[in-house]
Amino acid sequence: MSISVIIRTLLLTPIAIAVIAGPQRSHAQSLDGPDPVETSILTEETVQDPTQSSTDASTPSTPAQTSPPAQTSAPNPTPAQTQGPPPSIENTVEAAEPLPRRDLVHWNEYHGPYFTIRVGAGFLYDFAAFAQDEASKEQIALLPGEKVRDFRFIMGGKLFPEWTRSVTWCAGVMYDGPTNSWFLRQTGVMIAVPKLLGYFFVGRQKEGFSLNKVMVGYDGWTMERFTMSDATIPLLADGIKWLGYSKRHGFLWNLGYFNDVASKGQSFSSYSSQEVARLAWLPVHSEEEGTLIHLGFNFRYGKPVDGELRLKSKPEAFIAPYFLDTGKFAASSSNSEGYEVYYRRRSLLFGSEYYFQHVDSPSTHNPMFSGGDVVATWLITGETRPYNTVGGYFKDIAPSRTVFSGGPGAWELVFRYSYTDLNGGKVHGGTFGRFTPMVNWYLSENVRLEMAYGYGHLDRFDLKGNTQFFQARIQLQL
């Protein structure tokens, strides 16, 4: 039996059980109870529906820190108010992409008897300059500049808030800078299935391959994902994914099947179908000590659109052109596999990911490509980066004392080395390695400034060139 058949069976059988079981309506919960905007809290035995106020964490909630019921007479907090630190480990997830815990406004939510909605937006603006040696100038021409990196509108909420079974939804649109166009981002419905220890998401979403890729771009510790990630893993895909977590065993999984029926021709769609399996074990995950060890393995099988594949990536600088590029070549399928290893000890985080992609392409001698990164981060102001156990990813930073409340905000030092090799068989896409020290300043959860220096080495076109990168970014969220 093929991997494709196995993954589809694992996905479709539990969802059929969920449909047969159906949602149940709770008579005990009233509209005057806790705010229904948050997703349910998942345990191994049951799914409850405690809810978060408009200031609580957006994507996952947590059993470790329960928000008090929202009172209709209480005004929404402003950025100047100070909250306690968010939990370092969160055990639930919802369909919508994360929104800041602290709101700048109070008019962006609606809570009704049949659905809830919360609207948010994000904006990234990049600046970059470069210094090249002679070989680098011969390889690729670089010019300093500034440009909108990302502009998106997102919304999400709950369907039928009184049901005990959590059903959340999300929708989003995003401006695509390279193509100067708009496209649908993560959009779909997520259903909690507590007897199967997880959730099913149907719609447009992240495939689930690679912790760094699954993380929302606004939450990452670096400006861009490492080059192997961008070259080989599509940003989004349409399909169904089963996310689960067994708290008793510290084991989580993401299994998905996707195709391009609705997305063919869009910039992110390079495969006609793909199956993804991601498994991870958390041998240590202590909320009290802030300690976490994440050990993961990923597998992906895909069939390229129209029997052709092209892998390319920018040098972790959005304003720069593509440094790595295989060009189009014939390919009937590809297999990708690799590891994830992360260790977090309160304000310190160390991690590494590395992947291999094997391409079935007899005309180019079946090339194999590889790449990954090693990263270390330190929050010198003492915060701990939260981790979500169901999705298996890290979240954004919530400053203990925001700049707007008279504090220093949160300061983070980051050091990363990444390397990608897109040479294999008759394909010569180049190799690229980059060392990046950078500083993140989180003024609040709504405002972040990023400053990075990079030193990169490109081996391509029979030349070996070195480039220095000077980058800055403004990040705003609502």
Side-chain angles (χ1 to χ4, degrees), residues 143-171:
L143 295 174
E146 55 186 79
K147 193 173 183 179
V148 174
R149 171 64 177 91
D150 182 283
F151 185 33
R152 66 182 66 179
F153 293 100
I154 56 176
M155 61 185 74
K158 294 193 64 148
L159 297 176
F160 304 104
E162 292 188 65
W163 284 355
T164 56
R165 184 185 303 281
S166 172
V167 181
T168 60
W169 68 275
C170 68

Side-chain angles (χ1 to χ4, degrees), residues 270-271 304-305 307-311 326-331 334 357 359:
S270 53
Y271 288 83
V305 173
E308 288 187 324
L309 187 61
R310 181 183 184 182
L311 307 178
T326 62
K328 287 188 177 181
F329 62 96
S334 71
Q357 184 176 60
V359 183

Side-chain angles (χ1 to χ4, degrees), residues 111-303:
H111 302 156
Y114 304 110
F115 69 92
T116 70
I117 181 173
R118 183 180 179 190
V119 179
F123 177 76
L124 303 177
Y125 199 83
D126 280 10
F127 306 83
F130 314 96
Q132 301 176 266
D133 64 14
E134 292 304 317
S136 176
K137 291 177 181 179
E138 290 186 48
Q139 290 171 317
I140 295 176
L142 295 173
L143 295 174
E146 55 186 79
K147 193 173 183 179
V148 174
R149 171 64 177 91
D150 182 283
F151 185 33
R152 66 182 66 179
F153 293 100
I154 56 176
M155 61 185 74
K158 294 193 64 148
L159 297 176
F160 304 104
E162 292 188 65
W163 284 355
T164 56
R165 184 185 303 281
S166 172
V167 181
T168 60
W169 68 275
C170 68
V173 293
M174 172 183 170
Y175 172 74
D176 185 27
T179 61
N180 295 316
S181 61
W182 293 82
F183 65 84
L184 279 178
R185 278 197 56 81
Q186 185 159 304
T187 300
V189 176
M190 179 176 284
I191 304 172
V193 186
K195 291 186 178 180
L196 297 174
L197 307 180
Y199 301 78
F200 285 87
F201 189 107
V202 180
R204 180 161 295 177
Q205 57 194 292
K206 299 286 184 67
E207 288 184 0
F209 188 101
S210 165
L211 182 149
N212 195 258
K213 195 73 171 187
V214 172
M215 286 179 65
V216 175
Y218 283 64
D219 294 354
W221 36 77
T222 53
M223 291 186 186
E224 303 290 343
R225 298 177 177 94
F226 57 89
T227 48
M228 183 65 177
S229 173
D230 280 349
T232 60
I233 309 170
L235 177 64
L236 296 166
D238 296 334
I240 178 173
K241 182 168 64 177
W242 176 21
L243 304 90
Y245 171 59
S246 173
K247 184 177 181 181
R248 182 180 305 166
H249 305 97
F251 184 73
L252 67 94
W253 59 91
N254 298 170
L255 303 174
Y257 168 76
F258 310 91
N259 61 50
D260 70 342
V261 172
S263 61
K264 186 174 182 179
Q266 298 198 18
S267 59
F268 62 83
S269 181
S270 53
Y271 288 83
S272 60
S273 68
Q274 57 263 51
E275 292 83 33
V276 177
R278 177 171 177 250
L279 308 173
W281 178 43
L282 309 178
V284 177
H285 49 294
S286 170
E287 173 70 38
E288 294 76 15
E289 298 180 2
T291 304
L292 173 83
I293 297 177
H294 169 109
L295 306 174
F297 176 79
N298 296 263
F299 178 83
R300 181 181 186 276
Y301 174 79
K303 295 183 178 180

Side-chain angles (χ1 to χ4, degrees), residues 347-429:
S347 59
L348 294 174
L349 175 67
F350 303 93
S352 175
E353 299 187 28
Y354 204 90
Y355 302 105
F356 299 88
Q357 184 176 60
H358 308 263
V359 183
D360 186 2
S361 173
S363 63
T364 61
H365 295 176
N366 300 320
M368 183 189 76
F369 311 113
S370 65
D373 78 336
V374 178
V375 66
T377 77
W378 176 34
L379 283 155
I380 60 178
T381 43
E383 290 82 0
T384 299
R385 183 177 286 272
Y387 176 88
N388 182 272
T389 57
V390 180
Y393 54 78
F394 290 95
K395 290 190 63 204
D396 62 334
I397 300 300
S400 299
R401 296 174 57 218
T402 71
V403 169
F404 304 107
S405 63
W411 288 81
E412 182 179 39
L413 301 181
V414 180
F415 300 90
R416 179 172 78 176
Y417 176 75
S418 63
Y419 178 79
T420 298
D421 183 353
L422 295 188
N423 291 330
K426 292 184 177 181
V427 178
H428 303 286

Side-chain angles (χ1 to χ4, degrees), residues 420-443:
T420 298
D421 183 353
L422 295 188
N423 291 330
K426 292 184 177 181
V427 178
H428 303 286
T431 66
F432 179 72
R434 171 172 163 160
F435 174 68
T436 305
M438 65 178 293
V439 177
N440 293 314
W441 182 22
Y442 304 85
L443 285 76

